[in-house]
Amino acid sequence: MIIENIIFEFDNTLIDGDSYVLFLESISGRKSPAKKKSFGSAIEQYKQEFPAAASHDWDNLLQKAKPLAKADFDSAARALVDRLFPQAKEVLSLLHNSGRKIYLLSTSLDLLVRPVADHLGICRDNVFTNEVVVKDNRIVGTDTSQPLSQSLGKLYLAEKLRSEGRLSNSTAIVGQSRSAVAIRRNNIAEMFIYFTEGKENEEIREQADFVIDRFDQLLSLFFSDDELSNMSVPFESSVVTSPRQEKAPKILLLENIHPKASSRLSGNGFQVTSQKPALDEKELIQRGRGFHALGIRSKTHISANTIDQLKDLWVIGAFCIGTSQIDLDAAAQAGIPVFNAPYSNTRSVAELVVGETVMLMRRVFEKSTAAHQGRWLKTAQGSTEIRGKTAGIVGYGHIGSQVSVLLENLGMSVMFYDIMDKLPLGNAKQAASLYDLLETADIITLHVPDTKETRGMIGKNELQRMKRGSSLINSSRGKVVDLTALKEAIEAGHIAGAAVDVFPNEPNQPDDEFTTPLQRISNVILTPHIGGSTTEAQENIASYVSYKIERYLTTGSTTGAVNFPEADIPRLEGKHRILHIHKNVPGVLAKINTIFSQRHINVEGQMLQTHGDIGYLIVDVDHQISEQVFQLMQHITETIRVRRIT
Ligand code: NAI
């Protein structure tokens, strides 16, 4: 969850103390200067003089105590600025500068709150307080038509702000009152940060998502470790625990994974730590200790040694498509499923192919390059519409079938070739052979995996079989096309053009040199493997993989794991789940069931799946198993790992 709005309460949250009491202190102190040293008794005396002041009710005080003028509030307001909690101003300014909207909600009086809010730099439109009514220069009460003068005023006002769209997206409330709890409970805020100022109320603590007693702790909730280390003011980045989260599994997300992942996981109660850089083996072993889940992208390598050292690790999420950076076998042997997001960028690739189809058939890139060089290639020669032409799709899987739908909607006939029998979408037709497709299509797009059969699948011979003047798109895998043969076919004028996104040898870093035989050839679009590189794809990956991690941690589901037996059974209400990962040899299930039956533990549901030499059992039992039963399961010779989900 990315928090965009932060509501602060005022009394005991921004300022140390209650503004009502502090105001009484101020005016009673002024009234009896001699008693300034003993404000407590000055206030008592004032309350005796003006019993209305004893009720902690602003309206009552303003109407029934001695007549007050605006000036009576000035020195009280100045005193409140001095009562601001340490670092409140700096923290609010950092939060504001990070693009978050800061709101202040207070049932105290505007004459006291606004000067403090101005000092803190909070936008006046975002400050909501109890407003006074002034008549003949005298304050005669509060404006009772305003929500904040009513009971449940803060809740009502926050609800109003949300319904007006001012609290769109996620909101946190920082405070310590029951109103803050109510705002969180009514889901007007997605996060309640209990500011205890050192004095905790157990009931309120129970309702909090996070508990803090210093302002700088707020920063570790809203900024990454990296951002904190770059802050000009040295803040202590202390870990903030929440009663709900203290027992929650810990997740470490590396490599700048899209924030949707951390917001989803932390929103669902996990303890999430995010950090930007990829880590080398040594750093990962140090940093990863104590974490139950690890989220990486392609630059962090997870070796067998790392897996061996990270004893608490239960699951790995590869927030990308490939998993070659992870020793999958070592992970499986350690009982750790690995999840990735194989199809999260399908649409992104399909859209690029559609765009390239038009660009190639209109020969746009050669004209664009010429225009950049000051040449004006205004000609219709060799440029055609795609409408009415035939697209040939090789590999009718996730991407190929999407391309089929999109191109058909643009008026193309679609033919596809796949080694499997596939259900054609729309009016697409499956070709009897690759050669049938090559000979018929005006543009051919490749969407096959990298296999022994597909490597070199499009070579000199296949290019010759393609229709004269047709074009080729490859955004699948680099070794599928013989690029030298493609260059020759284009230079010979047999193939009109090509768009290539993937290459047999791709640079690792932006500064590494990139060469391909296709450079400097007219009507060839070269892209650096960006078919799936879009914001939406990154978001989809973040949602998909974090969902998989969450499901594994909360239900044991391994559906979609790349290295593990796939098992998933619905959780039964009131039952207790145990996950048992073991070596896949005969007799393990019998050993487990013997332990249960000897102790009269009733098995309510179970599923055993195997994958290679790993067996995975999910079992639901009628009551919580004892530590002794847990130990017995752990001591079965073939056990790799046992986990209880309560
Ligand atoms: P998929 O697995 O859903 O589809 C592949 C299809 O190819 C299947 O229908 C399969 O039966 C078929 N196929 C396999 N061998 C074949 C053969 N010898 N001849 C004809 N058909 C064959 O895969 P998806 O998600 O559609 O991806 C396709 C390709 O796109 C993959 O190579 C993937 O690595 C690549 N890709 C490239 C991206 C980029 O950034 N350029 C991003 C995402 C994927």
Side-chain angles (χ1 to χ4, degrees), residues 321 342-343 345-346 349 394-400 417-420 422 447-451 453-454 457 475-477 501-502 529-533:
I321 313 295
Y343 306 118
N345 56 8
T346 296
V349 181
V394 182
Y396 204 65
H398 287 82
I399 299 173
Y417 170 71
D418 199 293
I419 41 164
M420 309 289 284
K422 294 278 176 161
H447 301 291
V448 289
D450 180 28
T451 63
E453 291 73 32
T454 60
M457 177 183 206
S475 53
S476 63
R477 299 299 288 267
D501 187 44
V502 287
H529 205 146
I530 42 94
S533 308

Side-chain angles (χ1 to χ4, degrees), residues 252-258 273-279 284 287 294-297 300 302 319:
L252 176 63
L253 300 178
L254 302 175
E255 297 192 62
N256 212 11
I257 288 167
H258 193 282
T273 305
S274 301
Q275 86 177 46
K276 214 170 173 181
L279 299 179
L284 184 57
R287 186 77 180 97
L294 200 54
I296 57 159
R297 291 172 70 190
T300 302
I302 304 186
F319 285 77

Side-chain angles (χ1 to χ4, degrees), residues 76-105:
R78 276 195 300 277
L80 291 187
V81 170
D82 294 335
R83 302 290 295 233
L84 277 167
F85 276 112
Q87 291 181 326
K89 188 168 183 181
E90 293 88 335
V91 169
L92 258 68
S93 139
L94 285 165
L95 291 170
H96 173 75
N97 292 341
S98 70
R100 292 177 173 90
K101 290 201 191 88
I102 307 292
Y103 291 86
L104 202 164
L105 226 57

Side-chain angles (χ1 to χ4, degrees), residues 34-51:
K35 292 189 178 157
K36 261 190 180 171
K37 279 190 195 119
S38 166
F39 285 123
S41 55
I43 293 169
E44 283 317 309
Q45 191 191 329
Y46 187 83
K47 283 181 180 171
Q48 274 169 20
E49 223 173 298
F50 301 105

Side-chain angles (χ1 to χ4, degrees), residues 506-531:
E506 296 179 359
N508 288 324
Q509 305 291 336
D511 292 341
D512 292 352
E513 200 194 356
F514 167 64
T515 56
T516 167
L518 297 174
Q519 279 158 335
R520 286 168 290 281
I521 301 185
S522 195
N523 208 30
V524 171
I525 304 171
L526 299 178
T527 46
H529 205 146
I530 42 94

Side-chain angles (χ1 to χ4, degrees), residues 526-542:
L526 299 178
T527 46
H529 205 146
I530 42 94
S533 308
T534 60
T535 310
E536 289 82 356
Q538 290 307 316
E539 274 184 39
N540 290 344
I541 290 172

